[in-house]
Amino acid sequence: MTNFRVCTEGDVRRIIMASSSKTCALHPVSTFLLKEMIDPLLPFLTAMVTVSLREGYLPASQKCALIMPVLKKASLNKLDLKNYFSNLSKVVSS
């Protein structure tokens, strides 16, 4: 990352506020609550994002994903893997 630009609070605020307010089992804080508490959390979140980008390091706790298979059609056989959409082209492990 030779052209690294420090994230500003404005950058982080814009991304968070533009995010969907859906919830996920992997996130201990729901997005709507994060949006409600953005002002006191923004300095910490901005510092965390900036350090992660600068160091090129993401903590193991942030390298998780829930993958939910989705059938192409409800009438297809659920036991046949080719009947599911694939939105992952590559899985990276560290």
Side-chain angles (χ1 to χ4, degrees):
M1 296 179 65
T2 58
N3 295 330
F4 175 72
R5 181 179 68 86
V6 175
C7 270
T8 66
E9 286 188 4
D11 295 332
V12 176
R13 176 188 295 277
R14 187 173 52 259
I15 291 167
I16 290 170
M17 297 311 284
S19 298
S20 170
S21 291
K22 295 179 181 177
T23 59
C24 173
L26 289 177
H27 300 290
V29 176
S30 60
T31 309
F32 90 90
L33 184 57
L34 178 60
K35 289 177 179 182
E36 287 284 321
M37 300 303 297
I38 190 72
D39 291 326
L41 294 174
L42 197 55
F44 168 75
L45 294 172
T46 303
M48 188 171 67
V49 169
T50 300
V51 169
S52 181
L53 291 172
R54 183 179 54 229
E55 301 295 323
Y57 173 77
L58 189 64
S61 64
Q62 302 302 306
K63 297 180 185 180
C64 298
L66 287 178
I67 301 169
M68 306 297 277
V70 177
L71 273 174
K72 293 177 182 177
K73 293 182 183 177
S75 60
L76 295 174
N77 181 353
K78 294 179 181 180
L79 300 177
D80 191 347
L81 295 179
K82 70 180 180 189
N83 293 332
Y84 289 89
F85 286 107
S86 174
N87 60 355
L88 296 176
S89 59
K90 178 171 61 170
V91 176
V92 179
S93 63
S94 59

